[in-house]
Amino acid sequence: MEEKVKEQNPAARPEETAAQMAGNFIHDEIEADLAAGHAQTVHTRFPPEPNGYLHIGHAKSICLNFGTAKKYQGLCNLRFDDTNPAKEEQEFMDAIKADVRWLGFDWQDRLFFASDYFEQIYQYAVELIKAGKAYVCELNADQMREHRGSIGQPATSPWRDRPIEESLDLFARMRAGEFADGQYTLRAKIDLASPNFVMRDPVIYRIQHGEHNRTGNDWCIYPMYDFAHPISDSLEGITHSICTMEFEIHRPLYDWVIANTSCPTKSRQIEFARLNLTHTVMSKRFLRRLVEEGHVRGWDDPRMPTLSGLRRRGYTPEAIRDFCERIGVAKAESMVDSALLEHCLREDLNTQADRVMCVLRPLKVVITNYPEDGREMLPIENNPEKPERGKRLLPFGREIYIEQDDFMEEPPKKFFRLKPGGEVRLKAAYIIKCEEVIKDEAGNIVELHCTYDPETISGGPSTKKVKATIHWVNAKECKTVEVRLYDYLFTADNPYDCPEGADFIDNLNPNSLEVLPDAKIEPIYVMPNERFQFLRHGYFCVDPDTENDHMVFNRIVSLKSSFKA
Ligand code: ATP
Ligand code: MG
């Protein structure tokens, strides 16, 4: 079972800085390589397969690859691993580039495609055949499984001793398009008895007809990842090929390919544990299901752990980079608490976001002793954390809205907000007293009649004290907006944890989205993607669904942390 990474909670160890806490064994390895002269420079790459949108797990890899290059004054390439013609789509490539840039990284002129190397990779395969280190095989996928042996029992391979000339001829004809998908494969001749099944004569080329996004119909044979990746790394002069743990058992094959072909440079593969986050799924395969089955509104749904979803939700690149720094890099699998990501975000937004007042579920209040057409402008700070952000003026008037749950007709003892006969302070304005509760025929509260005490203006001389301050907006001078509140997409900490016969879809949180169509906000003008703190409610950002006369806000994160040390 995966364990929550409690010890990585920075809030729990305030005496240590995030940088000290976040161990990164890869940097230790690189420093050892540099010291021993195994490497003269540091050159990394981020190699996404363009078959989906990037998620927060990829952010860990991006920060690690680009961040490591930066730390050692090296270089980092962006390379699309586009060796699979059926799946690649331009839409994904464009989105991936936009996401990497948004995160704050720049590949400059080092954008590469594995497909650019198809001819070279093919030539290395020919080289292997000529050296008797690869052969054309006729087993189909099922037969290959039957021949793969078991622990302690070697695999068998009936075409292993095919003459070199024959393999060369067949491989050329595979390329020429003479055969159907799956009819032949090219296999590396390594070790049928290896305890590592990856080394039991792995397939390195397969036939696959179909148009490729970049090379069109030039090819109908494609190199497997295990063959294409080390060669691509070598051709680009990558010194450290950083990847996730599932490639650890492939490392001997990675090294074998580099050692047994004439590819130019030697690269070292280092594996680290992928990021898992509570209350979410991360694999593109599962994210794709959420999109295709309509459980979310798209790849950029603000509940998705995709970078485009987080961006739309209102996350800042700074918060995500900070998070990646704090979780560190290790080899052991772990499950990081989503609350840590939220903690990083709150820290960033607290200083960045200006405060505004927005009433999510409005209740009308008429201040009966305030002049009918009275109006005054009351000053309020934009950001108490940043006095230099100045103040703005709020229009106050006879009719205002307050939050429905800031009033209780029959409150419990410790309820200090508004109640019949009770008093409360309106933020930046006056103390009001509830005189009368107005109800409709069905008995629903529709309005409160209150009086205000003109002596109690905020910042004035009055020493009158009440126990609570609530937010409000002027009913005549507010805007009606749509507010979308989000909760975790999955109820379970680990969505994959489900009873037999069920799958992660059954763990979806039915209440992950709540739409409030009638929220009232003070009269502000907003910029696309602008972020605010709605007083007492949390951080919100302008959603792209916003149109001139219809503003839509996403709740990025609530104010209080549920993050426990
Ligand atoms: P997925 O399983 O989500 O489909 P992937 O590994 O197939 O991911 P790629 O496009 O091949 O996705 O990944 C590009 C890089 O990002 C790889 O080096 C991969 O190891 C890394 N990566 C993918 N998921 C994570 C994760 N959860 N944490 C850290 N790195 C990741
Ligand atoms: Mg993949």
Side-chain angles (χ1 to χ4, degrees), residues 229-441:
H229 207 82
I231 292 174
S232 307
D233 282 345
S234 176
L235 291 173
E236 291 174 19
I238 302 302
T239 58
H240 295 85
S241 182
I242 303 170
C243 62
T244 36
M245 286 308 292
E246 69 272 22
F247 293 105
E248 190 176 34
I249 55 164
H250 296 250
R251 194 193 325 141
L253 178 52
Y254 183 97
D255 292 339
W256 185 92
V257 170
I258 291 180
N260 288 279
T261 60
S262 63
C263 62
T265 64
K266 187 174 182 318
S267 162
R268 174 178 175 200
Q269 175 178 306
I270 306 178
E271 311 85 16
F272 70 99
R274 54 175 54 225
L275 169 67
N276 301 299
L277 261 189
T278 57
H279 303 289
T280 192
V281 294
M282 204 84 92
S283 167
K284 274 178 282 185
R285 197 155 49 92
F286 296 128
L287 296 176
R288 181 188 289 270
R289 255 189 83 187
L290 293 175
V291 174
E292 285 175 357
E293 293 177 13
H295 302 293
V296 293
R297 292 177 176 181
W299 286 98
D300 71 342
D301 187 299
R303 291 165 292 180
M304 290 280 272
T306 51
L307 294 181
S308 50
L310 293 167
R311 174 164 66 237
R312 182 165 183 174
R313 173 83 168 254
Y315 271 76
T316 61
E318 292 82 2
I320 294 176
R321 292 199 304 265
D322 181 31
F323 169 75
C324 290
E325 182 83 15
R326 293 195 204 197
I327 55 175
V329 179
K331 277 209 180 264
E333 272 285 297
S334 67
M335 170 88 83
V336 176
D337 196 330
S338 286
L340 176 60
L341 180 58
E342 292 162 14
H343 174 85
C344 296
L345 183 64
R346 280 191 196 92
E347 267 195 13
D348 189 32
L349 293 181
N350 186 33
T351 53
Q352 278 196 29
D354 280 351
R355 277 56 168 163
V356 300
M357 296 212 270
C358 181
V359 173
L360 299 185
R361 298 171 185 87
L363 171 62
K364 173 81 81 67
V365 170
V366 180
I367 301 168
T368 53
N369 61 339
Y370 197 83
E372 286 276 353
D373 48 5
R375 179 179 190 262
E376 57 194 308
M377 300 301 286
L378 306 176
I380 184 169
E381 277 183 300
N382 284 323
N383 187 344
E385 298 285 325
K386 279 196 169 174
E388 69 272 21
R389 295 289 301 157
K391 293 185 174 183
R392 68 187 182 288
L393 293 172
L394 282 177
F396 187 74
R398 180 178 158 94
E399 292 188 2
I400 61 171
Y401 289 113
I402 65 167
E403 214 61 68
Q404 282 169 19
D405 61 10
D406 278 338
F407 173 78
M408 280 188 90
E409 196 172 18
E410 289 165 31
K413 254 204 173 132
K414 293 245 158 135
F415 185 84
F416 297 121
R417 288 163 286 158
L418 206 54
K419 54 192 167 192
E423 288 183 307
V424 77
R425 173 169 285 288
L426 298 176
K427 176 79 184 170
Y430 301 96
I431 292 175
I432 58 169
K433 180 176 182 186
C434 178
E435 310 282 357
E436 196 182 347
V437 182
I438 314 293
K439 295 184 181 175
D440 64 11
E441 281 167 13

Side-chain angles (χ1 to χ4, degrees), residues 99-119:
D99 285 347
V100 174
R101 280 214 185 86
W102 175 74
L103 251 194
F105 297 103
D106 188 357
W107 54 89
Q108 293 172 345
D109 56 351
R110 284 182 306 282
L111 173 63
F112 299 100
F113 297 84
S115 58
D116 286 346
Y117 313 132
F118 280 167
E119 183 61 41

